[in-house]
Amino acid sequence: QVQLVESGGGLVQAGGSLRLSCAASGLTFKTYAVGWFRQAPGKEREFVAAIDWSGSRTNYADSAKGRFTISRDNAQNTMYLQMNSLKREDTAVYYCAAGLGGAASGSAWYAYWGQGTQVTVSS
């Protein structure tokens, strides 16, 4: 009954921006930490960013710092990833996830996952 649905992916030129959204249902969203992960073809899934239940603590991968911003709207049961200054190496399927482990970077802390949205950065 828990469902996470990503949206906002697409094709963008290098240097451009995208805003990903993740809508949650079937869980008490405001009690969960949420995060974003990505997986490129032939590579392992990697951590991108996370935010705790209140939005007071954030955690970013080094590749995302200064370019990406994670946020959440508990009233709307939605979390976001604003991506600026996109690079070719940002091309991947992006997944949102929810868990009870705080703003953790490890995928094992997240119990629920969306199906992903494709982000393709051209150059």
Side-chain angles (χ1 to χ4, degrees):
Q1 61 182 354
V2 174
Q3 187 174 23
L4 302 175
V5 180
E6 302 94 336
S7 62
L11 176 65
V12 64
Q13 292 184 332
S17 299
L18 283 175
R19 189 193 192 201
L20 305 183
S21 299
C22 176
S25 61
L27 77 168
T28 306
F29 181 76
K30 66 181 180 181
T31 69
Y32 283 78
V34 290
W36 289 93
F37 293 76
R38 67 187 184 187
Q39 187 169 23
K43 295 186 177 181
E44 296 294 315
R45 186 172 298 185
E46 66 176 356
F47 170 75
V48 178
I51 189 167
D52 74 352
W53 67 271
S54 68
S56 63
R57 181 185 177 190
T58 57
N59 188 13
Y60 293 94
D62 288 341
S63 61
K65 291 179 180 177
R67 299 190 300 126
F68 295 1
T69 303
I70 189 169
S71 61
R72 65 189 298 163
D73 185 343
N74 287 339
Q76 297 295 321
N77 289 351
T78 304
M79 49 102 72
Y80 307 93
L81 184 68
Q82 177 67 45
M83 304 187 293
N84 299 325
S85 301
L86 284 163
K87 305 173 181 179
R88 179 72 179 271
E89 52 263 42
D90 295 318
T91 295
V93 176
Y94 283 71
Y95 300 88
C96 65
L100 297 173
S105 61
S107 61
W109 289 103
Y110 296 89
Y112 306 109
W113 295 80
Q115 293 300 305
T117 185
Q118 177 71 48
V119 171
T120 302
V121 183
S122 63
S123 61

